[in-house]
């Protein structure tokens, strides 16, 4: 696990953008494509905008395929649809071709949406193992990541790559990558900033006894690529070392 802590969000975002560029260009050199899983929430918006402007000439974006690690159970036109935020912040500004964007189809019932998404991703990988080059993750102040919320059924899911899950505390359904799918990725990066996340960061990273039901982000331990935490001082403020 790599911990990178920054005084300011601009410094964090700049380094994270460079990290993404490096992984993307390596993947494009090696396999002529970059399979990139976006996170939802508010934290990544400025990063996506930065990639679409300052860094737009640093990658051959025509070789990038975009996926979503989770999605809310709302219509694609709804303001809280993660795909819509990404469409506005990076996908439209970079004119990404429709066939390079894998939105989660929330016009379907959640369970069906998860099944159809799994089929679409499986087809994209041509039946090979679903190993993404980079999965970006955020984390809530309750230590959830993607839609792996504390105490939910999806946390015990070892068999499928994607699942639908009812999140009691939000009284809503979500569709999400499971921890086993995330852990297959070559690289995983958490983007976490702000005071409100400090307790969860400490619990996930430093608690001596793992409790993945309580702190689901502890489930994220990629087999090969390792996980890098991009934190600002505020989010890292309760860490001991
Ligand atoms: O769909 C989502 O909301 C995300 O996938 C979720 O896991 C998010 O990353 C965290 O809730 C942090 O969200 P913020 O970045 O808004 O704090």
């Amino acid at each position: 696990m790599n911990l990178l802590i920054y005084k300011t969000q601009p410094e964090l975002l700049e380094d994270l953008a460079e990290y993404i560029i490096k992984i993307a260009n390596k993947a494009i050199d090696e396999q002529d494509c970059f399979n990139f899983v976006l996170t939802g929430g508010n934290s990544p918006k400025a990063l996506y905008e930065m990639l679409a402007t300052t860094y737009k000439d640093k990658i051959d974006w025509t070789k990038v395929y975009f996926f979503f690690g989770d999605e809310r159970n709302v219509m694609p036109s709804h303001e809280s649809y993660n795909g819509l935020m990404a469409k506005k912040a990076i996908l439209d500004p970079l004119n990404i071709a429709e066939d390079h964007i894998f939105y989660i189809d929330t016009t379907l019932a959640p369970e069906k949406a998860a099944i159809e998404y799994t089929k679409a991703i499986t087809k994209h990988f041509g039946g090979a193992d679903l190993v993404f080059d980079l999965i970006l993750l955020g984390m809530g102040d309750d230590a959830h990541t993607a839609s792996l919320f504390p105490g939910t059924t999806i946390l015990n899911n070892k068999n499928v790559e994607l699942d639908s899950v009812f999140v009691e505390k939000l009284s809503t359904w979500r569709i999400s990558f499971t921890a086993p799918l995330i852990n297959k990725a070559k690289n995983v990066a958490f983007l976490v900033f702000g005071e409100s996340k400090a307790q969860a960061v400490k619990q996930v990273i430093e608690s001596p006894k793992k409790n993945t039901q309580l702190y689901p982000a502890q489930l994220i331990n990629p087999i090969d690529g390792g996980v890098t935490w991009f934190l600002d001082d505020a989010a890292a403020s309760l860490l001991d070392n």
Side-chain angles (χ1 to χ4, degrees), residues 37-213:
V37 181
L38 301 180
T39 178
N42 302 311
S43 302
K45 188 167 176 291
L47 170 71
Y48 297 160
E49 290 165 345
M50 187 185 268
L51 289 171
T53 50
T54 316
Y55 290 87
K56 76 174 174 351
D57 300 325
K58 301 277 187 189
I59 310 180
D60 177 357
W61 292 100
T62 65
K63 305 277 189 187
V64 182
Y65 291 89
F66 291 87
F67 305 82
F68 294 88
D70 75 322
E71 193 53 89
R72 291 83 179 273
N73 184 36
V74 294
M75 286 295 115
S77 56
H78 191 283
E79 60 176 4
S80 64
Y81 185 72
N82 288 330
L84 184 60
M85 182 272 282
K87 181 174 166 46
K88 290 177 182 170
I90 183 169
L91 302 174
D92 282 356
L94 289 175
N95 298 310
I96 303 296
E98 276 304 311
D99 66 354
H100 277 56
I101 309 168
F102 290 73
Y103 292 108
I104 295 176
D105 182 359
T106 51
T107 62
L108 302 170
E111 193 176 349
K112 181 83 173 135
I115 292 167
E116 290 307 310
Y117 202 54
T118 305
K119 281 185 197 164
I121 293 177
T122 304
K123 185 165 174 252
H124 171 73
F125 278 95
D129 207 359
L130 309 185
V131 178
F132 290 93
D133 297 304
L134 173 60
I135 298 182
L136 270 187
L137 293 172
M139 187 176 73
D141 58 12
D142 61 355
H144 83 263
T145 189
S147 286
L148 307 176
F149 283 84
T152 56
T153 53
I154 194 170
L155 300 183
N156 310 314
N157 197 325
K158 302 276 180 276
N159 306 318
V160 294
E161 284 87 5
L162 267 115
D163 207 353
S164 55
V165 55
F166 186 73
V167 184
E168 288 289 340
K169 71 181 277 191
L170 302 177
S171 309
T172 183
W173 283 90
R174 292 282 189 103
I175 298 101
S176 179
F177 277 32
T178 60
L181 177 57
I182 295 170
N183 286 333
K184 283 183 185 172
K186 293 176 189 166
N187 299 281
V188 174
F190 277 99
L191 164 57
V192 185
F193 39 71
E195 191 81 43
S196 68
K197 309 286 178 78
Q199 188 57 35
V201 165
K202 181 171 183 63
Q203 286 159 339
V204 168
I205 292 177
E206 288 187 343
S207 65
K209 232 167 103 356
K210 271 205 167 185
N211 184 336
T212 54
Q213 283 295 322

